[in-house]
Amino acid sequence: MARARLRELGITVGQLTPGSLNAITDVPGVRVGYATLVADAPHVIRTGVTMVWPADMDIWTNYVFAGSHSFNGNGEMTGLVWIAEQGLLGAPIGITNTYDVGTVRDAITAYAVAKGAPQDFHLPVAAETYDGRLSDIATFAVKKELAFEALDKATGGHIAEGNVGGGTGMIAHEFKGGTGTASRVATAGGERYTVGALVQANYGQRELLRVDGVPVGKEIPIKDIPSPRRGRGLAGAGDQPGPSPDGGGSIIVVLATDAPLLPIQCQRLARRATTGLAWVGGIGSNGSGDIFIAFSVGNRVRHGEPVSNVRMIAPDAMTALFQAAAEATEEAILNAMTMAETTVGNKGVTAHALPLDRLQEIMRKYRRL
Amino acid sequence: MARARLRELGITVGQLTPGSLNAITDVPGVRVGYATLVADAPHVIRTGVTMVWPADMDIWTNYVFAGSHSFNGNGEMTGLVWIAEQGLLGAPIGITNTYDVGTVRDAITAYAVAKGAPQDFHLPVAAETYDGRLSDIATFAVKKELAFEALDKATGGHIAEGNVGGGTGMIAHEFKGGTGTASRVATAGGERYTVGALVQANYGQRELLRVDGVPVGKEIPIKDIPSPRRGRGLAGAGDQPGPSPDGGGSIIVVLATDAPLLPIQCQRLARRATTGLAWVGGIGSNGSGDIFIAFSVGNRVRHGEPVSNVRMIAPDAMTALFQAAAEATEEAILNAMTMAETTVGNKGVTAHALPLDRLQEIMRKYRRL
Amino acid sequence: MARARLRELGITVGQLTPGSLNAITDVPGVRVGYATLVADAPHVIRTGVTMVWPADMDIWTNYVFAGSHSFNGNGEMTGLVWIAEQGLLGAPIGITNTYDVGTVRDAITAYAVAKGAPQDFHLPVAAETYDGRLSDIATFAVKKELAFEALDKATGGHIAEGNVGGGTGMIAHEFKGGTGTASRVATAGGERYTVGALVQANYGQRELLRVDGVPVGKEIPIKDIPSPRRGRGLAGAGDQPGPSPDGGGSIIVVLATDAPLLPIQCQRLARRATTGLAWVGGIGSNGSGDIFIAFSVGNRVRHGEPVSNVRMIAPDAMTALFQAAAEATEEAILNAMTMAETTVGNKGVTAHALPLDRLQEIMRKYRRL
Amino acid sequence: MARARLRELGITVGQLTPGSLNAITDVPGVRVGYATLVADAPHVIRTGVTMVWPADMDIWTNYVFAGSHSFNGNGEMTGLVWIAEQGLLGAPIGITNTYDVGTVRDAITAYAVAKGAPQDFHLPVAAETYDGRLSDIATFAVKKELAFEALDKATGGHIAEGNVGGGTGMIAHEFKGGTGTASRVATAGGERYTVGALVQANYGQRELLRVDGVPVGKEIPIKDIPSPRRGRGLAGAGDQPGPSPDGGGSIIVVLATDAPLLPIQCQRLARRATTGLAWVGGIGSNGSGDIFIAFSVGNRVRHGEPVSNVRMIAPDAMTALFQAAAEATEEAILNAMTMAETTVGNKGVTAHALPLDRLQEIMRKYRRL
């Protein structure tokens, strides 16, 4: 059975309606680019870079508001001290593997320099999850050029999911994980706003996986489909570092909206990724870097402007956006899993894709299909 | 059908085993006291005070570690600036209604003074949720003496749930809410630890209510059982303030454990109440004060001791405690609802109890019973 | 020599120009009210309440933006969870003593109810510093009515300083402390903005006191003018709780500005009280509750408005406001001390006023006068 | 007159006694390494890397506790999400320039891999300040090898100051800045503890510079000694990015102590760098990244240990450590300035060293020498 997005399988999660693409690119101006690095020799590499542009090239001097939340900080997202201070995001957001996140961070600045873009903003946001279970991470395979490629390739419209970009070597709930996206339309104060999510999902225990509340993970036990996180070659067995068998790993969530939020409201929105994550079964395991960032393109702040006129959505209107953010996050994770393909990685470690027929069968058993 | 705890209905949530009482009082030394105030004249009052003692009377000078998290800060929990600074909790924790939380806060200090206890610690933690939908909150009915009563009545062992203490006038997922408790035993590093939760649940939309992933709220629509938050007399209709119809309200969660945590680890534990809340359907609506505090009795810090010897559980061991905290929170909320009884309050507003037979029927429909 | 404000002594601190009143009331619309409670029998009471109104009575539904910072959280300021979440302030700010801060907090809500004001906002900000060294704090002398009095008496224009309102029983740098205020005018982006500070100063070691960098504290040692914090009857000597001889105590700083700040910018401004405090010699001793709140009247957010149009000052413009906030805080503390009068309190403890002639003499010695 | 440390000039700041080296290396086990990169062709480079080892090579698996504070977050310090979550530091801390901080961050992991050190810890702390005024920063001159060199060269004992390592291209208070260090011995609970500071000072306005309270900056106006931040070639003049003329720039402060602190106590200590910074005249200008990290070698947490026995100093004892941290920070900044040498950088921009004879003369004028 070919890989498919969750809704293509007839499975619906959440109560709100997705945008037309059911992707973060439903938010006007948002673009996503990927660069994927897969090699079997001389080293087994399953890695890459994902770039989320909040807007066009003018982002360098025409900022958007942003806010972040760390649900479990066993990970890295650079630039957060700045985001906490100013609430301004003035560059694309990069996502890659744990060892190369610094390189990708510097690459964003280098790209601005190379393009002749004004360099006023040089505190980029770059995040990571650990792909050292499937990829030979100690080779430091990601170079600045790979980040440039992801930056250059960014597009709106339909975007790829699963084994792509930074999501290439991911593992989620002990199945193959990766990159996923989804969106929701929320109505607040008579206006329609879109909230989109893009995730790099690399976390979670099998037993905790749920789809629309159905205990899918318990229905597909490790003895049926083995876990790439258990057995020989695990952390603790001494041969390599890595997520612990308790379900370590990480998830990065990028939320975007066109609702006119202030920075403090972006922080609130980012916190709701926790809710969507919980719905799928993520509890923020100790070894997990569950770090979320939300930005709003509903306000733009032009560098150098003495006073900026901005708009703030009413506090009460946030509830609809919160639900949208939680639902978009939930579905983006599930899309990452249903789109990801079985991957054999370094040292023969195999991450099996979530079997879609089995998923449908379980949903039927529990009266959801 | 008599009110019952969730497990008495044959419904199990979570994967870990509860403690023997399935209550926060499973954590050694923890005691809970209630004082309930119900009157129909001259004012309709449905309120009260709940007190959670982390330990015996020696708590005033023999502190425990604590940490907090605000998932949605539309509420009050005093003492958090101190908890963030020192990580020390040296007094019982009070929970009451929104308008009287200051009185309860001061009462904790007054109690210490009255008992001749050392007064070194005078930054008590007192929290609130809004019961002005069922109770005539503008009468400021809670006096210090009511708080003293709750302090005096505290016991270990079995404790009441539902319409009791601070939980008397609560509404949860548009059914009658209240106070609930639960616990879990987690194994970490070869040791068994208990995590207990006590909640004052006063939040949530009907449609979002889930029990073990089953969409119970959607199965019991407002047209079947009316909501105390909709229709005449609501906020926005001009006659009184109160939670908005979008599911406003609040939830206070108190987590206790005997695992030897540092303050920073208590903060981490507190954050996991978010996960348990999400599993029941709480998204942190804008109007909600979803504020959580966790303390550990696994370390005691004696006032005046130059250097205290304390123990810190390994980071990896936190994962089991996180799951325990999430599950205990989830079940404590559900216990609050299954134990709460239908209440007619101020201006005839009625909060219907969650119908237990219907709950069981729905769980059966979705193959969980 | 009569008590005087710092500038009346010929002493200037900082580089920016004060507003016309050199007070927080230079910020348009800001009003301050005091209620002072002094009694010698049956108990020795030296306490009171201070109220800072960000605006007129419409504040209940026409909010201002606010942000806070806790430099050393050994104290209480209620309402901060809400401020962190929403960045909205919709009530006057109260300041009183440690044991009665809850009463003052609830009183603000009660006042709104009594005045028939809409009650939507019921998470007031009330702060405290400990006056138990001079006042018999265990009598819980402050009642709601005293808070109402302070609310009612609020005025713009010239406001009292020293032994007044919540500042009545304060001790600063082991001299008599109290309430003080000051302001600065800052130019940013071609506009003139005012930053005002009001402090309740109750902290600090004698040796660390500085005036414009001059080591005034070291020049007036304890052997010359005794400290109310040392000798018989101190904490540790067993007879009563209280600030430790290391210079415990607390300082609350309220900053106001008419610059159009967002909530996140108010947080930044609040943090600069740390700088002004440091210049006078405050290091945030362990026992000190050094908690700061800043609000901007440069934006108003009307309750119920679907989308609010607000203005945001350019990040670069914040530097001038930061300097203004630091300087206003510094001078407000010094005004509190130069205006406060020697006070004999409970158990005969005496807090001596900073001797003004001696202060001038020292400033001359170090070439500042 | 040869460059000298502040005390060699006869100038003393603070009240506590320094350690024997008056350096961060007074804290047992702490080592510092520098790699400096100075070139005039093909590009003018004035940059480098500083590495602070909290302990020996066993740091990778035998962690110390740490905590951070961002006073003004216009800068980058990686790893802080982890530090906030776990309070554990398991790698050396790197400091370099703004554009290359990612490279230095990744280099710390690469070093661990290269040395065969266990790689469990891969969330390193690397910080930056901007040297693009003196160095051609857009060349991205720092490579991993330079970071390795700084790591390899680390030593205890006397360490270099001024134009060295990451401090090579710094500007402080519009004089030449750089790297500086100092220490203090504090007595608490009958024990003697050392607090050491190392700073990379690159911030500040001339007019605000103070030495022991004396307004040195005002006494040496820009017209006497020009500022490298004003005049031709400045940000805003269009030819290059950089700190704004208002005194932008940044300061990174690393604090170390042997007092047995918990993570939450390290956070408290880190916050006191603000006080020392204020004493020299730093107000956290908008453009400044004033980010501080404190660690304690007084506890070690061994990776894999199920429960660690750790010690916690009494809260009251923190006051002495706070003063020590503030004083060490203050003196470290001043040492950076008195040791730094005049530097001609990119495009001929000249950063003049603080003239030491003039400094002494001013201190004499104000009766401090």
Side-chain angles (χ1 to χ4, degrees):
Chain A
M1 185 172 180
R3 307 308 291 170
R5 306 189 80 195
L6 190 71
R7 281 173 194 255
E8 293 168 352
L9 301 170
I11 304 169
T12 300
V13 295
Q15 306 184 0
L16 301 174
T17 307
S20 61
L21 298 161
N22 195 15
I24 196 170
T25 43
D26 282 319
V27 178
V30 174
R31 295 176 298 134
V32 175
Y34 300 111
T36 304
L37 198 59
V38 172
D40 292 322
H43 302 285
V44 179
I45 305 298
R46 307 281 183 268
T47 197
V49 179
T50 301
M51 286 285 174
V52 181
W53 287 81
D56 251 316
M57 276 295 286
D58 69 337
I59 187 67
W60 307 105
T61 51
N62 197 9
Y63 309 147
V64 297
F65 284 141
S68 74
H69 177 63
S70 171
F71 176 55
N72 196 61
N74 206 327
E76 179 64 76
M77 188 183 279
T78 69
L80 293 193
V81 172
W82 159 272
I83 296 288
E85 183 74 38
Q86 300 274 16
L88 296 168
L89 176 66
I93 298 168
I95 321 178
T96 187
N97 75 64
T98 308
Y99 282 18
D100 294 319
V101 65
T103 295
V104 170
R105 182 254 177 223
D106 291 353
I108 296 171
T109 297
Y111 185 86
V113 171
K115 294 286 176 183
Q119 309 153 50
D120 286 290
F121 189 93
H122 38 58
L123 296 168
V125 175
E128 55 70 45
T129 62
Y130 183 83
D131 55 19
R133 191 90 191 104
L134 292 172
S135 188
D136 190 351
I137 194 169
T139 57
F140 296 86
V142 174
K143 308 299 176 196
K144 278 183 182 169
E145 289 68 25
L146 199 73
F148 297 162
E149 182 188 330
L151 286 163
D152 280 332
K153 282 184 172 171
T155 64
H158 169 77
I159 57 172
E161 290 172 292
N163 299 2
V164 66
T168 302
M170 300 297 112
I171 297 167
H173 288 285
E174 308 186 48
F175 291 110
K176 182 67 186 66
T179 301
T181 190
S183 73
R184 288 293 183 276
V185 176
T187 304
E191 294 291 321
R192 286 163 52 93
Y193 300 112
T194 300
V195 178
L198 180 141
V199 306
Q200 184 164 311
N202 189 45
Y203 74 96
Q205 294 171 252
R206 177 75 59 86
E207 291 81 359
L208 290 172
L209 174 64
R210 298 221 174 207
V211 178
D212 196 23
V214 170
V216 170
K218 280 202 279 193
E219 294 281 338
I220 315 179
I222 302 293
K223 70 173 176 50
D224 284 15
I225 299 187
S227 165
R229 295 226 163 116
R230 309 196 195 191
R232 278 197 336 106
L234 279 183
D239 62 346
Q240 77 166 20
S244 56
D246 71 1
S250 298
I251 179 166
I252 298 298
V253 181
V254 179
L255 292 166
T257 186
D258 54 358
L261 305 188
L262 297 190
I264 206 171
Q265 294 177 311
C266 291
Q267 294 169 8
R268 302 181 75 192
L269 198 70
R271 213 141 59 223
R272 267 59 189 188
T274 316
T275 306
L277 176 63
W279 288 341
V280 187
I283 63 170
S285 293
N286 175 69
S288 205
D290 300 2
I291 313 177
F292 318 137
I293 185 164
F295 62 82
S296 162
V297 302
N299 283 302
R300 301 298 291 271
V301 172
R302 193 169 294 280
H303 182 77
E305 204 168 33
V307 174
S308 302
N309 291 305
V310 297
R311 295 184 309 140
M312 172 198 175
I313 203 171
D316 274 349
M318 293 301 294
T319 299
L321 300 177
F322 290 164
Q323 185 168 348
E327 291 189 7
T329 301
E330 178 188 23
E331 187 160 335
I333 298 170
L334 294 170
N335 279 338
M337 295 179 72
T338 60
M339 288 295 288
E341 306 200 35
T342 296
T343 299
V344 182
N346 199 22
K347 301 185 184 177
V349 170
T350 302
H352 294 277
L354 176 65
L356 301 185
D357 45 0
R358 189 100 174 244
L359 170 61
Q360 287 174 314
E361 181 187 314
I362 297 165
M363 296 307 283
R364 270 191 292 268
K365 170 178 169 187
Y366 284 92
R367 306 284 177 91
R368 300 298 167 80
L369 260 188
Chain B
M1 187 171 176
R3 306 307 293 169
R5 307 188 80 195
L6 190 71
R7 280 173 195 255
E8 292 169 354
L9 301 169
I11 304 170
T12 301
V13 295
Q15 305 184 1
L16 301 174
T17 307
S20 60
L21 298 161
N22 195 13
I24 197 171
T25 44
D26 282 319
V27 178
V30 173
R31 295 175 299 135
V32 175
Y34 299 112
T36 304
L37 197 59
V38 171
D40 291 323
H43 302 285
V44 179
I45 305 296
R46 308 281 183 265
T47 196
V49 179
T50 301
M51 286 285 174
V52 181
W53 287 81
D56 252 316
M57 276 294 285
D58 69 338
I59 186 68
W60 308 104
T61 51
N62 197 10
Y63 309 147
V64 296
F65 284 139
S68 74
H69 178 63
S70 170
F71 175 55
N72 195 61
N74 206 327
E76 178 64 78
M77 187 183 278
T78 69
L80 293 194
V81 173
W82 159 272
I83 297 289
E85 183 75 37
Q86 300 275 13
L88 295 168
L89 176 65
I93 297 167
I95 321 179
T96 187
N97 73 65
T98 308
Y99 282 19
D100 294 319
V101 66
T103 295
V104 169
R105 182 254 177 223
D106 291 353
I108 296 171
T109 297
Y111 185 86
V113 172
K115 294 288 176 182
Q119 306 153 54
D120 287 289
F121 188 93
H122 39 59
L123 296 168
V125 175
E128 56 68 45
T129 63
Y130 182 83
D131 56 19
R133 191 89 190 105
L134 293 172
S135 188
D136 189 351
I137 194 169
T139 58
F140 296 85
V142 173
K143 308 299 176 195
K144 279 183 182 168
E145 290 68 25
L146 200 74
F148 298 163
E149 183 189 329
L151 286 163
D152 280 333
K153 282 183 170 172
T155 62
H158 170 79
I159 58 172
E161 290 171 292
N163 299 2
V164 65
T168 302
M170 300 297 110
I171 296 166
H173 288 283
E174 307 186 51
F175 291 110
K176 182 68 186 66
T179 302
T181 191
S183 72
R184 288 294 183 275
V185 176
T187 304
E191 294 290 320
R192 284 163 53 91
Y193 300 111
T194 300
V195 177
L198 181 140
V199 307
Q200 183 164 310
N202 189 47
Y203 75 96
Q205 293 169 252
R206 178 74 61 84
E207 291 80 358
L208 290 172
L209 174 64
R210 297 222 174 205
V211 179
D212 196 22
V214 171
V216 170
K218 280 202 278 191
E219 294 281 338
I220 314 179
I222 301 292
K223 69 174 176 55
D224 284 15
I225 299 187
S227 165
R229 296 225 162 118
R230 310 198 192 189
R232 279 195 338 106
L234 280 184
D239 62 348
Q240 76 166 19
S244 56
D246 71 0
S250 297
I251 178 166
I252 298 297
V253 181
V254 179
L255 292 167
T257 186
D258 54 358
L261 305 188
L262 297 190
I264 205 171
Q265 294 177 311
C266 292
Q267 294 169 8
R268 303 181 75 192
L269 199 69
R271 212 141 60 222
R272 266 60 188 188
T274 317
T275 307
L277 175 63
W279 287 341
V280 188
I283 63 169
S285 293
N286 176 68
S288 204
D290 300 1
I291 313 177
F292 318 137
I293 185 165
F295 62 82
S296 160
V297 302
N299 284 303
R300 300 298 291 273
V301 171
R302 194 168 293 280
H303 182 79
E305 205 168 32
V307 174
S308 301
N309 292 304
V310 298
R311 294 184 310 140
M312 172 199 174
I313 204 172
D316 274 349
M318 294 301 293
T319 299
L321 300 176
F322 289 163
Q323 185 167 349
E327 292 189 7
T329 300
E330 177 188 24
E331 187 160 337
I333 297 170
L334 294 171
N335 280 336
M337 294 180 71
T338 61
M339 288 294 288
E341 307 201 32
T342 296
T343 298
V344 182
N346 198 24
K347 303 185 184 178
V349 170
T350 302
H352 294 278
L354 175 66
L356 302 185
D357 45 2
R358 189 100 175 245
L359 171 61
Q360 287 174 313
E361 182 187 314
I362 298 164
M363 296 306 284
R364 268 190 294 267
K365 171 178 168 186
Y366 285 93
R367 305 284 178 93
R368 300 297 167 81
L369 260 187
Chain C
M1 185 173 181
R3 306 308 292 171
R5 306 188 81 196
L6 190 71
R7 279 173 196 256
E8 292 169 354
L9 300 170
I11 303 170
T12 300
V13 294
Q15 304 185 2
L16 302 174
T17 307
S20 61
L21 298 161
N22 195 14
I24 196 171
T25 44
D26 282 318
V27 179
V30 174
R31 295 175 299 133
V32 175
Y34 300 112
T36 304
L37 198 59
V38 171
D40 292 323
H43 302 286
V44 179
I45 305 297
R46 308 282 183 265
T47 196
V49 179
T50 301
M51 286 286 174
V52 180
W53 287 80
D56 251 315
M57 275 294 285
D58 69 339
I59 186 67
W60 308 104
T61 51
N62 198 7
Y63 309 148
V64 297
F65 284 140
S68 75
H69 179 63
S70 170
F71 176 55
N72 195 61
N74 206 327
E76 179 63 76
M77 185 181 280
T78 69
L80 294 193
V81 173
W82 160 272
I83 297 289
E85 183 74 38
Q86 300 275 16
L88 295 168
L89 176 66
I93 298 168
I95 322 178
T96 187
N97 74 65
T98 307
Y99 282 20
D100 295 319
V101 67
T103 295
V104 170
R105 182 252 178 226
D106 291 353
I108 296 170
T109 297
Y111 185 86
V113 173
K115 294 286 176 184
Q119 307 152 51
D120 287 290
F121 190 93
H122 38 59
L123 296 168
V125 175
E128 54 70 44
T129 63
Y130 184 83
D131 56 18
R133 190 89 192 108
L134 292 172
S135 188
D136 189 350
I137 193 170
T139 58
F140 295 85
V142 173
K143 307 300 177 197
K144 278 184 183 168
E145 290 69 25
L146 200 74
F148 297 162
E149 183 187 331
L151 286 163
D152 280 332
K153 283 183 169 171
T155 64
H158 170 79
I159 58 172
E161 292 171 292
N163 300 1
V164 65
T168 303
M170 300 297 110
I171 297 166
H173 288 285
E174 308 186 48
F175 291 110
K176 183 69 185 67
T179 301
T181 191
S183 73
R184 289 294 184 275
V185 176
T187 304
E191 295 291 320
R192 285 163 51 92
Y193 300 112
T194 300
V195 178
L198 180 139
V199 307
Q200 184 164 308
N202 189 47
Y203 75 95
Q205 293 170 253
R206 178 73 61 85
E207 290 82 357
L208 290 172
L209 174 64
R210 299 224 173 203
V211 178
D212 195 23
V214 171
V216 170
K218 281 202 278 192
E219 293 282 338
I220 315 178
I222 301 293
K223 69 173 177 50
D224 284 15
I225 299 187
S227 164
R229 296 227 162 115
R230 309 196 195 191
R232 280 197 334 107
L234 278 184
D239 63 346
Q240 78 166 19
S244 57
D246 70 2
S250 296
I251 178 165
I252 299 298
V253 180
V254 179
L255 292 167
T257 186
D258 55 358
L261 305 188
L262 297 190
I264 206 171
Q265 294 178 311
C266 291
Q267 294 169 7
R268 303 181 73 190
L269 198 70
R271 213 140 59 222
R272 267 61 188 186
T274 317
T275 306
L277 176 62
W279 287 341
V280 187
I283 62 170
S285 293
N286 175 67
S288 205
D290 299 3
I291 313 177
F292 318 137
I293 186 166
F295 62 83
S296 160
V297 303
N299 284 303
R300 300 297 291 273
V301 173
R302 194 168 294 279
H303 182 78
E305 204 168 33
V307 174
S308 302
N309 292 303
V310 298
R311 294 184 310 140
M312 172 198 174
I313 203 171
D316 274 349
M318 294 300 295
T319 299
L321 300 176
F322 290 163
Q323 185 167 350
E327 291 189 7
T329 301
E330 176 188 25
E331 187 158 337
I333 298 169
L334 294 170
N335 279 339
M337 295 181 71
T338 61
M339 288 296 286
E341 306 201 34
T342 296
T343 299
V344 182
N346 198 22
K347 302 184 185 178
V349 169
T350 302
H352 294 277
L354 176 67
L356 301 184
D357 46 0
R358 188 99 175 245
L359 170 61
Q360 288 174 314
E361 182 186 313
I362 297 164
M363 296 307 284
R364 269 191 293 269
K365 171 178 166 187
Y366 285 93
R367 304 285 177 91
R368 300 295 168 82
L369 261 187
Chain D
M1 185 172 179
R3 307 308 293 170
R5 307 189 79 195
L6 191 72
R7 281 173 195 256
E8 293 168 353
L9 301 169
I11 303 170
T12 300
V13 294
Q15 304 185 0
L16 301 174
T17 307
S20 60
L21 298 161
N22 196 15
I24 197 170
T25 43
D26 281 319
V27 178
V30 174
R31 296 175 298 136
V32 175
Y34 299 111
T36 304
L37 197 60
V38 172
D40 292 322
H43 302 285
V44 179
I45 305 297
R46 307 281 184 266
T47 196
V49 179
T50 301
M51 286 284 174
V52 180
W53 286 80
D56 252 316
M57 274 294 285
D58 69 338
I59 186 66
W60 307 103
T61 51
N62 197 9
Y63 308 147
V64 296
F65 283 141
S68 75
H69 178 63
S70 169
F71 176 54
N72 195 61
N74 207 328
E76 178 64 74
M77 186 182 280
T78 69
L80 293 193
V81 172
W82 160 272
I83 296 289
E85 183 74 38
Q86 300 275 15
L88 295 168
L89 176 66
I93 298 167
I95 321 177
T96 188
N97 74 65
T98 307
Y99 282 19
D100 294 318
V101 65
T103 295
V104 169
R105 181 256 178 222
D106 291 352
I108 296 172
T109 296
Y111 186 86
V113 172
K115 292 288 175 183
Q119 307 153 52
D120 286 288
F121 189 92
H122 38 59
L123 296 167
V125 175
E128 56 69 44
T129 63
Y130 183 84
D131 56 19
R133 191 89 191 108
L134 293 172
S135 188
D136 190 350
I137 193 169
T139 57
F140 297 86
V142 172
K143 308 299 176 197
K144 279 184 181 166
E145 291 67 26
L146 200 74
F148 297 162
E149 181 188 331
L151 285 164
D152 279 333
K153 282 183 170 172
T155 63
H158 170 79
I159 57 173
E161 289 171 293
N163 300 1
V164 66
T168 302
M170 300 296 111
I171 297 166
H173 288 284
E174 306 185 49
F175 292 110
K176 182 69 185 68
T179 302
T181 190
S183 72
R184 288 295 184 274
V185 176
T187 304
E191 294 291 322
R192 286 163 51 93
Y193 299 112
T194 300
V195 178
L198 179 139
V199 307
Q200 183 164 311
N202 189 46
Y203 75 97
Q205 294 171 252
R206 177 73 61 85
E207 291 80 357
L208 291 172
L209 174 64
R210 297 220 174 208
V211 178
D212 196 24
V214 171
V216 170
K218 282 202 278 192
E219 294 282 337
I220 314 178
I222 302 293
K223 68 172 177 54
D224 284 17
I225 299 187
S227 164
R229 296 228 162 116
R230 309 194 195 192
R232 279 196 336 108
L234 278 185
D239 61 348
Q240 77 166 19
S244 56
D246 70 2
S250 299
I251 179 167
I252 298 298
V253 181
V254 179
L255 292 167
T257 186
D258 54 358
L261 305 188
L262 297 190
I264 207 170
Q265 294 178 311
C266 291
Q267 293 169 7
R268 303 182 74 192
L269 198 70
R271 214 142 57 225
R272 267 59 189 188
T274 317
T275 307
L277 175 64
W279 287 342
V280 187
I283 63 169
S285 294
N286 175 67
S288 204
D290 299 2
I291 313 178
F292 318 138
I293 186 166
F295 62 82
S296 160
V297 302
N299 284 302
R300 300 298 290 273
V301 172
R302 193 169 293 280
H303 182 78
E305 205 168 33
V307 174
S308 302
N309 292 303
V310 298
R311 294 183 311 140
M312 172 198 174
I313 204 171
D316 274 349
M318 293 302 294
T319 300
L321 300 177
F322 290 163
Q323 185 166 349
E327 293 189 5
T329 300
E330 178 189 22
E331 188 160 336
I333 298 169
L334 294 170
N335 280 337
M337 295 180 70
T338 61
M339 288 295 287
E341 306 200 35
T342 296
T343 299
V344 183
N346 198 23
K347 302 184 184 179
V349 169
T350 301
H352 294 277
L354 176 66
L356 301 185
D357 47 359
R358 189 100 174 245
L359 170 62
Q360 286 175 315
E361 183 188 313
I362 297 164
M363 296 306 284
R364 268 190 294 269
K365 171 178 167 187
Y366 285 93
R367 304 285 178 90
R368 301 296 167 81
L369 260 188

